[in-house]
Amino acid sequence: MHVRGPALAASFVLLAAACGPAADGGGTGPGGPIEIIVPYAAGGGTDQTARQLAAAAEDTCGVSTVVSNQEGAGGAIGFRTAADAPPDGSTVGVVSVELAMLAHQGVTDVTPDDVSGLLQYNFDPSALTVSSDGPYSSVDEVIGAARDGDGVIVGTSGAGSVWEFAAEGMAAEEGVEMTYAPFEGAAPAITAVLGGQVDAVTVSGAEVLPQVESGELTSLAVMGEERLDILPEAPTLREEGIDWVLGTWRGLALPEGTPQETVDELESCFSEAARSEQFTDFMDTGGFGVEYRGAQEFDTFMAEEFAAFGGDGGGDDG
Amino acid sequence: MSGWLVGLDAVLSPDAILMIVLGVGTGIVVGALPGLTATMAVALLLPVTFTLDPLPGMMLLVGVYGGTLYAGSIPAILLRAPGTPSAAATVIDGYPMTRQGKAGQALSISLVASVVGGLTGTVLLALFAPQLAGVALTFGPPEYFMVSVLALAVIASISAGKLSKGLVSGFLGVAIGLVGMDPIEGFPRFTFGTTELSAGIPFIAVLIGLFGVSEALTQIAGNRRRRGAERPPVGSFSLGRGWLRRLGPATGGSSLMGFLIGLLPGTGGDVASYFAYNETRRWSRKGSFGKGEPAGVASAESANSASTSGSMAPTLVLGIPGDSVTAILIGAITVHGLQPGPQLFEGAPDLVYGTMIGLVLMNLAMLPIGLLGIRLWPRLTAAPTTVLWPTVVLLSLVGAFALRLNLVDVAIALAAGALGFVLTRGGYPLAPMVIGLILGPMAESNLRLSLIISGGSLDWLARPIPIAVMAVIVAAIVLTKLSTRRAMATPAGTAAEETPKDRD
């Protein structure tokens, strides 16, 4: 009786830990279960998209999938775990733009070379967004103010984050100086531009969508190849005459050295999942941009991104 | 007004009610286990809500959120191991009450205070949400910096009487908070070249070690010396005579403070409970705070519950998450194709008003569900000490591991446990360390952001809110100094009476 309480509690810990994957359902197929490693905390954008994709892949791949969150060091812990897993297709890692950035920042030595791309399912460009009541109503005005030395302050989602890189690259492209204020995440940066603490933010279009829709903020430009469906009014930076494309992306990767036939097999069933109505509907309603690249193409893309982030503030290949 | 009727209609469906009850029940179990946080529980349940309608899904998640915040106090009171960071301030008076044989009373106070705090916060949310969310926008880095300095000044009054030891503990907390990526330059600090430490030392792992593990070590060490020591009785579950007069002002005031702090994006129940605890202590003339004062428990618990409602205001009104849990709630809303923000009030009144009414129901549901469990909890701790304390260590370490499935966190919890054990032996209070750990990084990054934005000048100190906060800080320090002197002048008081029991 005395021992039962703690024992009960302990079993609940296990139950709670098992709850995430269990909630995705569990069918058993011909192969063993596939573990999907998410390098960020449960509940974030990467985790949400990965869990949806994992659920869709259970049908298309015919095996059960188990999502495990291995967060820490800006994603490096999870990237490392996925890269070091046995290259037999039993472990799939979720990778993001940070994989191309972290090694350059001295955080880790894991790079896109350590993994083999499986597919890319998302791209969200940075959006240069200002307060609707503020002094700026076009990209030119922002750049002009910076050129005149008016001290344009851009809020970003953190030091060394992709959104800080987006702002720096835009300014470097035009040869102007801006001040970058690194907040802890996108939400406080958006609060700061709403409250007039900073002049602009460069977080993703989806992140500022609610405030843009309510009219409090205006996106002056998006840093994608094309305009965003969710922000049709905002031109691309290229339309504004600035050759700069930058955004965050997410995809799946296998450990380097996985046999080609395993890669092919997983690519076909995961890409079917990524194109399923269930998944694309989720991406649309969640405001995540859908961009698809296959295994080969994604591998090349990651290598280009890695090289671009290693340049001196360069990198314009989105 | 019609919005309220639509909301009421939506929330009074069997689905929604069932989800509230389920959520609160799950939250209470999760919250009672150290290491399992509200954020984690809500994140794990999020995929479940995708298949539900928006409102029942929301009810499940806010039920878990509320239940977790309340239940974090249960192990804080019984075992000195706060189940969630928000319950760290509850330890200060809750655990001494257990040692004095008043565990039952402390548990009842915590439940009632949580419910009252949650209800007060929800009423404030319903009445003033749009106006108050606007106030949160006037808070920029300078304002956040001054508020975090004010909260750091709490260290002074919490460690009244042993200021130097309190400061040592506080600085240790700030120092631990320095480890990891520099918030402005993005350069790894004090990580000794390891990847594991580059995201910093995880706060919850430290908390688990500092309280749960260190108390277990203390008990095990004490047990070896004096076998068969009497365990204090659980005592009555009644709130005690004249409870309304004794606890009412502290609960009401702390609910208000908790709500206001919850409003600020980025500050949640952990900051709110310390802040409110300290203000209550300052306004009260009693010297019994920190030695098992019931009003201390009431204050910390009502504040962290009220902060839940506070953090819902920027979420619902601005679409900006008030804390990590509400960030996930936003995800739960957007997945149904709805955008949080001002337009949600017109676009989905059933969800917005339903959520607010649901928060009231959630708090009302917490009372009976909490009462069901309340007599059960002390039984768990009635296990023989040779079983109980090793189990606490085990559960704490499992909790630390469950955070990120990372063994490094287990090592950190163990190291923090050893540190807590040594510090407690040496008479250093642990609360200042937790405060330093929470607020040190907040003060640092906001000071540096203020300087970046102002181009290096200190003009921002002259803005109205920073000036007002600075005046409060000066007043607080002067008042603490005076009350310390007064306490020293009259050594025989309530404080002296409680000391022998406290040493047990």
Side-chain angles (χ1 to χ4, degrees):
Chain A
M1 178 62 204
H2 289 324
V3 195
R4 193 186 292 163
L8 200 85
S11 60
F12 204 90
V13 173
L14 298 174
L15 185 78
C19 187
D24 291 323
T28 42
I34 296 178
E35 183 179 15
I36 296 180
I37 294 173
V38 175
Y40 300 101
T46 304
D47 176 72
Q48 285 181 42
T49 55
R51 282 180 191 274
Q52 286 296 314
L53 188 56
E58 294 208 325
D59 295 334
T60 58
C61 297
V63 294
S64 57
T65 56
V66 181
V67 175
S68 72
N69 298 83
Q70 304 212 0
E71 56 186 289
I77 306 268
F79 296 142
R80 168 54 70 200
T81 311
D84 289 349
D88 56 8
S90 63
T91 309
V92 174
V94 177
V95 291
S96 59
V97 66
E98 283 77 13
L99 176 63
M101 302 176 70
L102 288 170
H104 296 308
Q105 294 163 353
V107 176
T108 174
D109 52 5
V110 61
T111 72
D113 287 343
D114 299 313
V115 297
S116 164
L118 185 59
L119 64 87
Q120 177 186 345
Y121 63 84
N122 159 253
F123 177 77
D124 282 318
S126 165
L128 180 69
T129 305
V130 297
S131 166
S132 303
D133 309 329
Y136 307 115
S137 57
S138 73
V139 177
D140 278 352
E141 287 177 19
V142 176
I143 300 290
R147 190 162 282 138
D148 297 345
D150 285 354
V152 175
I153 301 163
V154 184
T156 74
S157 59
S161 69
V162 62
W163 304 138
E164 184 173 79
F165 209 84
E168 284 172 351
M170 179 184 72
E173 193 69 28
E174 289 296 288
V176 297
E177 297 265 328
M178 294 184 184
T179 304
Y180 310 103
F183 289 83
E184 281 179 37
I190 296 169
T191 315
V193 74
L194 279 172
Q197 319 283 346
V198 299
D199 298 312
V201 287
T202 47
V203 300
S204 81
E207 283 165 321
V208 291
L209 187 60
Q211 289 78 28
V212 171
E213 281 189 343
S214 67
E216 289 155 306
L217 296 181
T218 307
S219 286
L220 301 178
V222 294
M223 305 189 190
E225 309 264 358
E226 290 161 18
R227 292 192 181 204
L228 279 180
D229 292 343
I230 51 172
L231 295 170
E233 308 276 301
T236 65
L237 265 193
R238 284 204 177 132
E239 286 176 57
E240 296 288 299
I242 303 174
D243 186 22
W244 179 251
V245 172
L246 199 100
T248 174
W249 43 262
R250 300 181 175 103
L252 300 178
L254 295 163
E256 182 62 33
T258 306
Q260 190 57 41
E261 60 186 281
T262 313
V263 177
D264 293 343
E265 200 179 308
L266 288 176
E267 184 191 0
S268 90
C269 73
F270 269 95
S271 69
E272 198 187 324
R275 291 166 186 203
S276 68
E277 205 181 316
Q278 176 193 353
F279 184 69
T280 50
D281 279 357
F282 168 81
M283 295 292 280
D284 285 347
T285 52
F288 298 102
V290 176
E291 187 160 313
Y292 179 82
R293 278 187 173 88
Q296 194 102 57
E297 213 188 340
F298 185 39
D299 223 23
T300 319
F301 173 72
M302 284 197 289
E304 285 168 8
E305 286 280 283
F306 181 65
F309 281 110
D312 43 355
D316 56 1
D317 59 326
Chain B
M1 201 59 216
S2 66
W4 290 105
L5 292 177
V6 174
L8 191 65
D9 184 48
V11 87
L12 287 180
S13 71
D15 278 12
I17 305 269
L18 178 71
M19 286 301 151
I20 291 175
V21 174
L22 252 171
V24 172
T26 313
I28 289 181
V29 177
V30 169
L33 293 166
L36 296 182
T37 61
T39 314
M40 200 185 300
V42 170
L44 289 176
L45 284 173
L46 179 67
V48 177
T49 67
F50 293 166
T51 58
L52 300 170
D53 285 336
L55 188 65
M58 194 76 176
M59 289 300 98
L60 178 67
L61 298 181
V62 298
V64 171
Y65 187 19
T68 315
L69 278 189
Y70 151 63
S73 70
I74 297 166
I77 290 169
L78 292 174
L79 300 170
R80 194 172 172 257
T84 57
S86 301
T90 311
V91 170
I92 307 174
D93 280 302
Y95 189 63
M97 285 184 75
T98 296
R99 308 303 311 268
Q100 293 159 16
K102 297 188 216 156
Q105 192 191 358
L107 287 172
S108 301
I109 290 173
S110 130
L111 178 60
V112 172
S114 290
V115 171
V116 172
L119 288 174
T120 313
T122 310
V123 170
L124 291 171
L125 171 71
L127 292 178
F128 304 117
Q131 296 87 326
L132 287 173
V135 173
L137 287 184
T138 62
F139 264 69
E143 286 77 17
Y144 277 108
F145 169 67
M146 290 312 291
V147 168
S148 47
V149 171
L150 172 62
L152 278 170
V154 166
I155 292 177
S157 57
I158 268 189
S159 39
K162 37 183 173 181
L163 189 58
S164 54
K165 288 189 170 181
L167 283 176
V168 167
S169 173
F171 276 121
L172 263 175
V174 173
I176 293 173
L178 284 178
V179 176
M181 213 58 106
D182 176 309
I184 304 296
E185 306 290 337
F187 188 81
R189 294 191 299 206
F190 308 111
T191 60
F192 304 100
T194 59
T195 308
E196 284 75 14
L197 290 181
S198 67
I201 293 183
F203 170 59
I204 295 171
V206 173
L207 195 69
I208 288 172
L210 211 50
F211 290 101
V213 176
S214 89
E215 179 64 15
L217 292 177
T218 306
Q219 291 293 336
I220 292 165
N223 222 30
R224 285 173 63 98
R225 274 189 284 109
R226 38 179 181 77
R227 275 186 179 282
E230 268 302 304
R231 185 196 306 279
V234 173
S236 148
F237 284 90
S238 89
L239 292 173
R241 242 178 309 135
W243 57 274
L244 190 63
R245 192 175 42 78
R246 281 186 302 115
L247 305 176
T251 308
S254 302
S255 300
L256 184 64
M257 282 184 271
F259 177 78
L260 292 175
I261 288 177
L263 273 183
L264 302 176
T267 52
D270 46 1
V271 178
S273 56
Y274 270 118
F275 198 88
Y277 174 81
N278 188 56
E279 294 309 309
T280 306
R281 176 192 183 119
R282 199 179 351 250
W283 285 102
S284 157
R285 292 177 183 275
K286 289 190 223 165
S288 52
F289 278 88
K291 303 186 185 74
E293 168 59 46
V297 175
S299 158
E301 280 302 305
S302 52
N304 73 34
S305 284
S307 76
T308 325
S309 308
S311 61
M312 293 295 289
T315 311
L316 289 174
V317 179
L318 303 171
I320 291 169
D323 60 14
S324 53
V325 175
T326 44
I328 302 173
L329 293 184
I330 287 185
I333 297 174
T334 51
V335 81
H336 293 289
L338 300 165
Q339 283 293 347
Q343 64 277 31
L344 196 63
F345 281 80
E346 284 107 54
D350 54 332
L351 183 65
V352 175
Y353 294 99
T355 300
M356 292 199 229
I357 299 170
L359 281 170
V360 172
L361 294 181
M362 183 265 280
N363 281 293
L364 292 177
M366 203 138 82
L367 199 58
I369 299 176
L371 282 175
L372 273 179
I374 207 165
R375 279 162 204 277
L376 199 69
W377 305 118
R379 295 231 189 116
L380 297 185
T381 59
T385 40
T386 44
V387 174
L388 175 69
W389 292 107
T391 311
V392 170
V393 174
L394 186 70
L395 272 182
S396 299
L397 298 183
V398 168
F401 182 69
L403 279 179
R404 303 188 299 181
L405 303 181
N406 195 331
L407 277 175
V408 175
D409 293 347
V410 177
I412 288 171
L414 276 174
L419 182 65
F421 176 70
V422 172
L423 287 179
T424 310
R425 281 260 156 135
Y428 292 86
L430 295 182
M433 189 160 159
V434 178
I435 297 171
L437 192 52
I438 298 173
L439 292 156
M442 193 170 145
E444 187 205 348
S445 61
N446 283 297
L447 171 63
R448 292 175 68 186
L449 274 174
S450 303
L451 289 169
I452 286 177
I453 291 173
S454 68
S457 86
L458 289 174
D459 295 349
W460 48 269
L461 277 173
R463 284 163 45 162
I465 299 176
I467 286 191
V469 176
M470 217 165 350
V472 175
I473 295 174
V474 171
I477 291 173
V478 171
L479 277 177
T480 309
K481 191 80 199 158
L482 287 178
S483 69
T484 314
R485 195 170 291 172
R486 199 174 50 214
M488 280 178 169
T490 53
T494 38
E497 269 172 45
E498 308 254 1
T499 319
K501 287 179 192 167
D502 189 33
R503 290 175 58 92
D504 175 32

